[in-house]
Amino acid sequence: MENPENQLKHELILYGRGLIAEEYFRYLSRKEQAGEVMCFAVTTMNGQGDTYCGRPCLEIEPALAKFPQAEVHLALQEKYHGEVVSLLEKLGRRPERVIGLHRMTELLGEQGIREISTACSELTVRRNPHDYSMLEIAASEHPEEKFTFYPMTQVPLSPEDMAKVRSYVQGNFFEGWGGIKDLAKSASRLEENVLYIAMATSAKDALVSREGLPGYVHTVLGGAAAYEGQRSGELAYDDEGRNISLYNNLYSELTVAYWLWQKAPQTKYLGLCHYRRHFVLPAEVQGAIAKGEIDVLLTRPRLTFPSVREYFANLPVTTMDELDYETMLRLIESEDSELAKFSRDFLEGQIHFPNNMVIAKRDIYLDYCKFMFKVLQGMQEHYKGKGTPRPDRYLGYVGELLTTVYFAYHRGRWRTGFIDYRLLKEV
């Protein structure tokens, strides 16, 4: 396909409606090419509005009839590409460009690297080697103190945000955590009775990425209460015992975290990962776990603009909103006013710990779950009592904020380290 860096010379139908389409439109706008976008197109409207990003939005057949000379660019998730290309071929067309999440993050990542490297030449910026969608930023003099950055919706950065990048990366954020950078590189065998990581998966993806997993990673089917297929002894199911499996559409991977909290295997450490995201545990980290030299492991701190609150509550990257954000804070305050004040202040900053992925000593993990699920279930009951419908996965996103404030609030209390995770491109 033609490189989007090249100048558009034709009218354009942008086939897609959602985050990828919006980001591609913004990308073209920054290159002063969005004026060529005649409309967005979808397969069927299904009650969607007739405009999007200030352009008309039409079903694909009327769009092709209205703009017969226009190029068609796909901008939607990779899993839909085959279906949409087949539909276009039936209509006698083929897309001139195909943009999926992977390609969109590549384009924005390249732009982010250029912008940050130019504005902050004293920093090292590169693609995260474990997650194609992320950038990795560190001060040249402290390359082990890495931050991650997700360019979708955040590139380009304003001069004010660029100054905050420099301030965080060159600042003292990592001081006081007692992290793994101070550990000796002495590996020890990580026995199965030391660490239990529950890998949340779905019925569709239950067999994905299980091959070659270490013995301490256990596959757990999320949303098992709605699963009607044959059950396997090779999997655990999140509807065993006391559970919230029926609400997997709201909690996402956190129904597996709840299962882990209730099951509480008798290992020294507990943790949660996803079928697409696996912890990267270097030998020295495994050694620290085996010897009990670390208390908590979090994903690397992610730089988030314009603020964590704004990103989660107001940008089209999550399904939560300001109502959820304020409800969360009120419930925290009902338990601990000091923690609520800390949470409000911290989340106005630019750091969060993503994906609800945590490894911690057993008692810490159980206390973290007790705090998190009291708030999440309180929110669920609050909305249920008011008859207020909420969208899919909103509690999973709120969980990311609760994970962030819980461990940030207890900074200095435990020896906390930050590690990468490996993202699988396709499943």
Side-chain angles (χ1 to χ4, degrees):
M1 294 298 172
E2 190 179 351
N3 192 326
E5 292 286 346
N6 298 337
Q7 183 71 28
L8 288 174
K9 298 179 180 179
H10 306 287
E11 295 179 342
L12 170 64
I13 296 172
L14 206 164
Y15 198 140
R17 179 170 178 145
L19 178 61
I20 298 170
E22 186 172 338
E23 285 298 288
Y24 186 47
F25 180 76
R26 290 177 62 236
Y27 178 83
L28 295 175
S29 298
R30 290 192 295 273
K31 303 179 79 60
E32 298 184 352
Q33 297 174 9
E36 307 289 348
V37 178
M38 308 311 293
C39 70
F40 287 82
V42 295
T43 304
T44 56
M45 291 297 288
N46 290 331
Q48 301 176 91
D50 57 6
T51 61
Y52 192 68
C53 296
R55 295 290 194 274
C57 185
L58 308 171
E59 292 188 353
I60 185 60
E61 290 190 62
L64 292 173
K66 186 171 185 178
F67 305 106
Q69 302 303 315
E71 291 187 355
V72 178
H73 293 192
L74 303 193
L76 65 170
Q77 292 182 48
E78 286 83 353
K79 64 183 179 181
Y80 300 120
H81 287 178
E83 173 187 339
V84 172
V85 169
S86 295
L87 173 60
L88 286 172
E89 288 177 342
K90 290 178 182 178
L91 297 173
R93 296 293 302 271
R94 286 189 61 83
E96 280 72 20
R97 297 178 187 172
V98 178
I99 305 293
L101 180 61
H102 190 186
R103 182 57 178 147
M104 197 67 247
T105 53
E106 281 185 339
L107 293 171
L108 295 177
E110 291 163 4
Q111 183 177 349
I113 290 172
R114 288 195 301 269
E115 290 182 357
I116 297 171
S117 297
T118 299
C120 308
S121 59
E122 68 276 24
L123 305 183
T124 299
V125 188
R126 65 168 188 164
R127 290 193 178 279
N128 185 300
H130 304 289
D131 181 346
Y132 69 88
S133 67
M134 295 292 158
L135 301 185
E136 182 177 275
I137 309 174
S140 300
E141 62 271 25
H142 297 293
E144 76 283 358
E145 296 182 350
K146 301 170 186 174
F147 296 81
T148 59
F149 175 68
Y150 184 52
M152 290 281 279
T153 75
Q154 300 188 86
V155 170
L157 291 169
S158 68
E160 293 78 14
D161 289 340
M162 201 69 77
K164 291 175 182 176
V165 169
R166 183 183 292 107
S167 176
Y168 273 108
V169 177
Q170 293 188 311
N172 60 357
F173 176 83
F174 289 92
E175 292 182 9
W177 293 87
I180 59 177
K181 68 173 185 173
D182 300 319
L183 297 172
K185 294 183 180 294
S186 56
S188 296
R189 177 177 168 79
L190 193 55
E191 302 291 344
E192 292 184 26
N193 64 352
V194 173
L195 173 62
Y196 189 110
I197 295 179
M199 184 179 76
T201 190
S202 66
K204 178 174 71 75
D205 305 302
L207 299 179
V208 172
S209 66
R210 288 176 56 200
E211 185 176 348
L213 288 178
Y216 52 79
V217 178
H218 304 265
T219 306
V220 184
L221 185 69
Y227 178 60
E228 298 178 351
Q230 185 174 353
R231 300 205 171 197
S232 166
E234 296 180 3
L235 303 179
Y237 298 83
D238 74 346
D239 62 345
E240 300 163 344
R242 186 179 178 185
N243 68 84
I244 55 173
S245 180
L246 276 173
Y247 305 114
N248 181 260
N249 65 310
L250 302 179
Y251 286 84
S252 195
E253 68 275 356
L254 290 180
T255 61
V256 174
Y258 189 95
W259 172 90
L260 183 62
W261 175 38
Q262 297 300 315
K263 182 179 177 65
Q266 295 298 316
T267 54
K268 294 179 181 178
Y269 291 82
L270 299 174
L272 178 75
C273 72
H274 309 177
Y275 71 95
R276 285 195 69 199
R277 295 180 176 91
H278 299 174
F279 287 111
V280 176
L281 298 179
E284 64 269 25
V285 177
Q286 294 193 36
I289 294 172
K291 297 175 182 178
E293 295 174 344
I294 198 79
D295 299 319
V296 177
L297 290 167
L298 302 172
T299 51
R300 293 197 184 278
R302 183 165 300 169
L303 291 165
T304 311
F305 298 95
S307 69
V308 176
R309 176 192 61 77
E310 182 72 14
Y311 182 86
F312 274 77
N314 291 303
L315 294 183
V317 289
T318 80
T319 56
M320 64 173 290
D321 59 20
E322 284 283 358
L323 175 62
D324 302 319
Y325 182 80
E326 292 298 331
T327 302
M328 175 194 75
L329 288 176
R330 284 198 300 273
L331 287 166
I332 295 174
E333 188 166 19
S334 69
E335 298 294 323
D336 188 330
S337 59
E338 183 178 332
L339 175 55
K341 182 181 185 307
F342 173 87
S343 299
R344 187 178 292 277
D345 292 343
F346 191 87
L347 295 175
E348 289 295 340
Q350 283 72 44
I351 295 292
H352 81 281
F353 304 115
N355 305 320
N356 295 312
M357 291 176 64
V358 175
I359 296 173
K361 283 187 173 177
R362 188 175 183 277
D363 59 336
I364 298 173
Y365 195 88
L366 297 181
D367 187 71
Y368 150 66
C369 285
K370 180 180 177 181
F371 158 75
M372 177 168 61
F373 286 109
K374 184 156 191 175
V375 175
L376 295 178
Q377 291 184 300
M379 291 181 67
Q380 188 180 8
E381 289 301 313
H382 171 77
Y383 290 133
K384 181 180 179 181
K386 289 184 171 293
T388 306
R390 304 308 296 151
D392 283 356
R393 208 193 182 283
Y394 85 100
L395 291 174
Y397 289 116
V398 174
E400 293 189 59
L401 300 184
L402 295 172
T403 298
T404 295
V405 298
Y406 177 85
F407 288 103
Y409 183 69
H410 292 296
R411 173 180 178 170
R413 178 178 175 185
W414 302 309
R415 296 166 297 178
T416 302
F418 306 97
I419 54 176
D420 289 301
Y421 61 82
R422 178 170 61 92
L423 177 69
L424 305 183
K425 288 185 182 180
E426 293 293 341
V427 296

